Amino acid sequence: MAGLAESGSNPDVDLLYDINGLAKDAPHWFDRIMEFVGEYGLLLGMVLLVLWCWWTVRRRGDDSAASSVAALVWAPLAAGIAVLVNVPIRGFVERPRPFVDHQGLDVLVTGKTDYSFVSDHATLTMAMGVALFVANRRFGLLGIGLALLEGFCRVYMGVHYPTDVVGGFALGTAVALLLSPLAMALLTPVMKAVERSPRAGLLIRARGTARTGRDALIPGSRTERSEERDLAA
C-alpha cells in the first residue's frame, strides 16, 4: 500500500493504514454503519449498559444496593472528569489529526478540526467501562469490550492514531480507578440517604424488595417474639 510506504518505520502510522485500509475494502453501507457506531452508537450503548446494570441492582434490592448504585453513578462522572483532564493534555501535545499529515486515508467523518491526542471517545468509554467493572464485573467486562470496540472504530474511521486510542484507554482507566475510593466515600452516604426517602428510595431499590440488614424483622427471631409479648400484654 502507498500509505505504508509513506509511513516509514513508524508502527503507529503503519497500524493506522492497516486498520483504516479495511474501510477502503468494505462496502459503502458497512462504512456508514461503522461511522454511526464509532461516533454515537457505542457511547449510547455504554449509557444503556449502565442503566441496565442499575435496573438489575435496583430490582435485586439487597443490602449493598446503595453502594452499588453509588458505583454506577460514578461511571458517568468518571467519564466526564476524564474528558476534562484530557483538555489540557490535548492543548499541550497539539497532535494534528492523522489525515492532516498522511495522505490516502479513508476518512469517514468530516469536520474534525481539533487535536488528535488523546481520543475523547476512547477516554469516555473506557472510563465508564472500568468504573462499571468496579460496580459489577459481568457488566464491566461488557463495558470494557465496548470501549475496545470504540477504539478500533476511531482508527478505522481515520480520525485517530492507535496511540491516541491507547492514551485514551490509559487516561480513562486511571481516572476511574484512582478517584474511585474518594468518589465512593462521597457518593455512598448520599445514596444511603436517598434510599431512606419514601419516594426517592425507589431509585435505589424497587418497591416490594425487603431490607435484609438490622432493620429487617426475621420471622421467629428474638426481636419478633419480644414484640409479640408486648402486644399480648
Side-chain angles (χ1 to χ4, degrees):
M1 296 175 61
L4 290 176
E6 294 176 3
S7 68
S9 59
N10 188 336
D12 191 23
V13 180
D14 291 346
L15 188 57
L16 165 67
Y17 275 107
D18 287 341
I19 296 177
N20 181 254
L22 299 175
K24 293 183 178 182
D25 300 330
H28 179 75
W29 60 267
F30 184 80
D31 284 348
R32 297 289 71 81
I33 292 176
M34 291 293 286
E35 175 185 346
F36 174 79
V37 169
E39 193 73 9
Y40 308 106
L42 288 173
L43 291 176
L44 177 61
M46 189 67 72
V47 172
L48 294 177
L49 187 62
V50 173
L51 291 176
W52 183 16
C53 186
W54 164 75
W55 186 259
T56 302
V57 169
R58 177 180 174 273
R59 291 188 62 185
R60 188 172 64 239
D62 56 17
D63 286 340
S64 63
S67 59
S68 296
V69 173
L72 293 175
V73 172
W74 169 235
L77 291 178
I81 293 173
V83 170
L84 290 177
V85 173
N86 188 30
V87 172
I89 295 177
R90 277 193 167 193
F92 177 76
V93 177
E94 295 186 348
R95 186 183 199 182
R97 294 279 182 171
F99 52 79
V100 175
D101 294 331
H102 303 283
Q103 303 297 320
L105 293 174
D106 189 6
V107 183
L108 303 186
V109 180
T110 59
K112 298 290 184 180
T113 58
D114 55 344
Y115 294 119
S116 184
F117 185 89
V118 295
S119 168
D120 278 340
H121 283 72
T123 302
L124 278 168
T125 51
M126 186 56 76
M128 293 185 71
V130 171
L132 187 57
F133 183 81
V134 174
N136 185 290
R137 289 188 177 182
R138 180 166 59 93
F139 283 93
L141 288 175
L142 290 175
I144 292 174
L146 290 180
L148 295 174
L149 181 57
E150 179 69 84
F152 175 83
C153 287
R154 302 308 288 177
V155 180
Y156 180 95
M157 295 159 61
V159 294
H160 280 292
Y161 295 95
T163 48
D164 297 338
V165 170
V166 173
F169 288 164
L171 177 59
T173 300
V175 169
L177 291 182
L178 294 180
L179 297 183
S180 178
L182 176 60
M184 292 300 296
L186 296 175
L187 292 173
T188 300
V190 175
M191 294 301 107
K192 288 183 177 179
V194 172
E195 184 182 20
R196 291 191 292 268
S197 172
R199 294 185 179 180
L202 294 177
L203 295 173
I204 308 300
R205 64 176 71 239
R207 193 184 303 274
T209 56
R211 295 181 59 86
T212 56
R214 292 183 178 180
D215 297 336
L217 190 62
I218 303 175
S221 65
R222 181 177 301 177
T223 304
E224 184 186 40
R225 290 194 295 272
S226 63
E227 288 190 359
E228 288 177 353
R229 287 196 298 270
D230 291 340
L231 291 174

